[in-house]
Amino acid sequence: MNFRNTEQKKLIITDIENRYDHPTAQMIYDSISLVDPNVGIATVYRNLKTLVEMGKIKKIMTNDNIAHYDRICNNHIHLVCSSCGKIIDLESNFLDNNEQFKKLDFQVSIQDIQINGICQDCKE
């Protein structure tokens, strides 16, 4: 897959790499349009799609059917607040060591788990 490194694409990649909040395309657009007002929302969507296809970022679909993007591509769990929509990363390798998988002689290659609930901020 050909992925030309235009300045706008570099802005998108840099923005995602410097975030820890699982941004939406709109959030990324809002951020990089402050740096380059000529960037279009369609450019952001097109490049996000390409980055996901290349395995550079992960796409997370939440219950509200809005795509969020994650710079961390290793296996981990996403805790998603059903109230505010916050996404929290939870590092985990429990599937790698799970006895049930060992009994089935099943090697986990992708661990893409999303757990919905209410975050601490919304419980208060």
Side-chain angles (χ1 to χ4, degrees):
M1 178 176 293
N2 187 13
F3 185 67
R4 294 187 339 235
N5 280 324
T6 65
E7 288 304 312
Q8 292 175 339
K9 289 175 185 162
K10 289 178 187 175
L11 283 174
I12 293 167
I13 292 168
T14 300
D15 186 73
I16 293 169
E17 288 175 346
N18 290 318
R19 297 183 82 121
Y20 297 90
D21 61 350
H22 303 87
T24 63
Q26 184 66 51
M27 292 167 68
I28 295 166
Y29 169 76
D30 291 344
S31 177
I32 67 172
S33 65
L34 297 173
V35 178
D36 182 357
N38 296 319
V39 69
I41 189 75
T43 299
V44 173
Y45 277 105
R46 186 173 49 256
N47 285 290
L48 290 172
K49 181 178 185 269
T50 301
L51 289 167
V52 169
E53 289 171 353
M54 293 174 68
K56 301 281 187 191
I57 60 174
K58 272 189 173 180
K59 181 178 179 179
I60 307 162
M61 292 302 294
T62 55
N63 289 343
D64 56 7
N65 207 28
I66 296 175
H68 294 257
Y69 297 90
D70 192 351
R71 64 185 182 78
I72 302 171
C73 292
N74 66 334
N75 291 335
H76 63 282
I77 295 171
H78 291 113
L79 304 177
V80 181
C81 180
S82 300
S83 181
C84 70
K86 181 189 325 183
I87 301 171
I88 303 164
D89 287 329
L90 179 62
E91 292 300 321
S92 175
N93 63 352
F94 80 93
L95 289 182
D96 297 334
N97 300 315
N98 187 291
E99 288 301 317
Q100 293 295 322
F101 291 110
K102 287 181 182 177
K103 287 179 188 175
L104 295 170
D105 194 24
F106 188 86
Q107 181 180 359
V108 176
S109 59
I110 297 176
Q111 178 180 314
D112 192 13
I113 298 174
Q114 179 174 309
I115 300 173
N116 297 316
I118 305 295
C119 73
Q120 182 178 1
D121 294 337
C122 291
K123 284 175 36 179
E124 295 174 352

